[in-house]
Amino acid sequence: MREITYRQAVNEALAEELERDPNVFLMGEEVAEYHGAYKVSQGLLERFGPKRIIDTPISENGFAGLGVGAAMVGLRPIIEFMTFSFSLVAFDQVVNNAPNMFMMSGGQFNIPITFRGPNGPAHQLAATHSHATENLYASVPGLKVCTPATPRDAKGLLKTAVRDDNPVLVLEAELLYSSKGMVEPPDEELLIPLGEAQVKREGSDVSVICYAQTVSLALAAAQQLEEENISAEIIDLRSIKPLDEKAIFDSVAKTHRVVIVEQDRPFCGVGAEVCYRIQKNIFDALDAPILRVSQEDVPMPYNERLEKFVLPNADKLMSAVKKVCYA
Amino acid sequence: MQRDDQRDEVEMLALMLLIRRFEERASQQYQAQKIGGFCHLYIGQEAVAVGAVAATRPDDYIITAYRDHGHALARGTSANACMAELFGKETGCSRGLGGSMHFFDKTNHMYGGHAIVGAHVPLAAGMAFASKYLGEDRVTLCFFGDGAINQGSFHEALNLIALYKLPAVLICENNLFAMGTSVKRSTSLKQIVDRAEGYDIPGDILDGMNFREVRDKLAEIIISIRKDSHPAFVEVRTYRYRGHSMSDPASYRTKDELEKYRLDDPIIRLRAQLTREGRLTNEEFDSIDKKAKETVLAAVKFAEQSPELPVEGVYDYVYANSVAAGVSFAKSGGPAADTAATIG
């Protein structure tokens, strides 16, 4: 194991998959000559050439659809969205073409495509550039959605996504690109299955279910809660769809209390689905109502203080945990 | 002139007749409520799909919009599989899961059947991209209507196709109406082919009622593309005799206009050409037509007698298994919605 950044981890995953399979190519805005808007594709153009690392014009609908078409005839495209806020311009391709093709062709055409890029609020990017899209996409049958929170997961989930025979969205996060973490050395194949959550920290009093940018928030809170004699178990979902129900239920059966901290919005958010499944399946295990911490139900303001208020934060999380623990 | 490498024109006439008779019967079956959803008929436009297919190799890629019955039949999908699809049966070309607007046939390189206007033009770009990427000399034929040319996806795709010099022929079947809106009311151009000029793609206007003109011009274009990958655009002027879909009486146009086009019918025209040249007798034509009608009637019977997919089979068509990733998302356990959604 060695310590690398999330950015390097994504870069390694891309390079390894490009190296392994000649039918894999990377396409998107500024991925080649500019090395990626967030420098994720640094060095790939030099290594794999312009045939496989392809700059596009600003045409998300066009190049996302190009990827789907290429996937129909045997290639395995990796389509980068500069941010998933821009994927909304390509919504028709991601939602109507990629995941529907298998069904409407009677199983003749599966679409092995990876859509990836940063997702969710970053810092003061305001309403148009701060979308957390995981609940939108996870609601679409035929899509798979993962949300790596660590460099190791970023690498392992992306490599799995590229090898998957279905459309997979790998939702990275701008604020995580420079974060560091331990990852297996490059000569060791790292594949992390979709649909496997991870217990980031064991605890006995409350299950805090989180993913992506809220994982570090939850871990920091757990530290603080420990000082107040509350033992929090931290579950990183890693994949939103498929969802690892077992990991969730196992934890809840142990702690009997749940707080879901998610980076998306409250109405029809990821937490709403998780909450439904918990109460449906292990209602009797619960000692308190499930609480959710998410964004406020408003478009993202630019003002730094207001943005902070809108985002899930440590104060909201701490207070939710204490509430379910009746502390 | 018919070249040696082109399929027999009588055979092509038979294909056009098959499409015509198929659509007539589909219309009847729709009215009898054997066919659900939306159903858009190709009657009047047969020379476009058949002329284009006559200019291709069987392994060239074909992709089209929702008025797709003619393209599938022209490509070689059987009348049985097409009719069964309309009936929603398991023996349909998309196993009854796509319906009229989503005909797919991988074996015959027919890549759909796409029902969001213009949304398949980027897919065509991707298919052509793949051919070039893999060093193949296949050509992608992308059909769309005059309504598609004002859609953003169309413009984005044309730019990408031109920018990457992709081997694609963009075939605009201009039947003068996008649903009920005439080209004059939808498009700022004097002629549709001028759209191509905006992307530096060579463009031509073809008479879509003339099988030979469609075939010959496209054959010429395809030969040029195979030699050196590039895109091309053709505006094929044609006409649909029926309304936009089965529910449309087409009251936005005059009887005179329809009659004018009917007199210029593509089937009558090719028949007259062949007869004049002594290559087709009236008896032979009648026999071809009779066979087409019989084939279609047999297709209706086939569709009626075919089974439907069992309801729990629906979960088999959400995700392809991911063996390569070492993760199985195999069939989930039937219609217990929650569980199924978790797995897939």
Side-chain angles (χ1 to χ4, degrees), chain A residues 100-117:
Chain A
N100 284 347
M101 209 70 76
F102 192 60
M103 170 69 76
M104 68 186 182
S105 68
Q108 291 175 88
F109 295 99
N110 59 302
I111 307 295
I113 193 170
T114 304
F115 295 108
R116 53 153 291 276

Side-chain angles (χ1 to χ4, degrees), chain A residues 22 55 62 108 143 166 242 277, chain B residues 93 133 156 164 319-320 329 338 342:
Chain A
D55 278 330
Q108 291 175 88
L143 293 180
N166 300 283
R277 285 164 192 256
Chain B
C93 57
Y133 185 95
E156 294 191 21
Y164 301 145
Y319 295 96
F329 288 89
D338 291 329
T342 309

Side-chain angles (χ1 to χ4, degrees), chain B residues 16 20 43-44 46 209 241 260-270:
Chain B
M16 286 163 67
R20 176 75 50 98
I43 296 176
E46 295 91 343
M209 304 314 237
Y241 296 176
K260 188 186 95 178
Y261 281 99
R262 272 185 193 279
L263 290 173
D264 199 22
D265 186 86
I267 293 175
I268 295 176
R269 220 156 130 175
L270 181 57

